[in-house]
């Protein structure tokens, strides 16, 4: 099952990278969806994102902004990566 989720994440990221420069706004949401799937299925990815958020305040602010505006299921996954104090 994990292979299926990682395949879905890879497809989202590849399509997002291919369409990020197009005028149709599909690239960035697909990249974010791929990241959320990876973080949701991997503890080590969540740990790496948590460390990056702790070290880089701009990334932490951007991900917090996405947390506030995303659906509950996605927000719950991202809130797991908040830096611990």
């Amino acid at each position: 099952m994990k292979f299926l989720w990682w395949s879905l994440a890879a497809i989202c990221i590849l399509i997002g990278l291919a369409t990020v420069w197009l005028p149709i706004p599909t690239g960035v949401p697909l990249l974010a969806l791929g990241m959320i799937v990876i973080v949701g299925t991997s503890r080590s990815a969540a740990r790496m994102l948590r460390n990056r958020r702790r070290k880089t305040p701009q990334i932490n602010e951007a991900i917090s902004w996405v947390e506030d505006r995303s659906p509950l299921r996605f927000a719950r996954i991202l809130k797991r990566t908040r830096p611990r104090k």
Side-chain angles (χ1 to χ4, degrees):
M1 192 67 174
K2 190 172 186 177
F3 178 75
L4 176 71
W5 287 112
W6 280 72
S7 298
L8 175 71
I11 290 170
C12 286
I13 290 172
L14 289 175
I15 294 173
L17 286 173
T19 62
V20 76
W21 303 112
L22 296 176
I24 302 168
T26 59
V28 175
L30 284 172
L31 290 171
L33 179 63
M35 180 195 75
I36 289 171
V37 170
I38 290 173
V39 169
T41 58
S42 172
R43 286 185 182 181
S44 60
R47 191 176 318 117
M48 286 191 313
L49 183 58
R50 185 179 306 116
N51 288 336
R52 180 61 52 199
R53 286 179 74 172
R54 184 180 307 120
K55 293 177 184 176
T56 314
Q58 294 88 359
I59 292 176
N60 188 31
E61 290 173 11
I63 294 175
S64 295
W65 183 84
V66 171
E67 283 176 8
D68 295 338
R69 287 156 182 80
S70 63
L72 184 61
R73 295 181 98 173
F74 296 144
R76 195 175 296 147
I77 291 170
L78 290 174
K79 286 179 183 179
R80 262 188 20 203
T81 65
R82 283 185 178 171
R84 296 185 176 136
K85 295 179 182 178

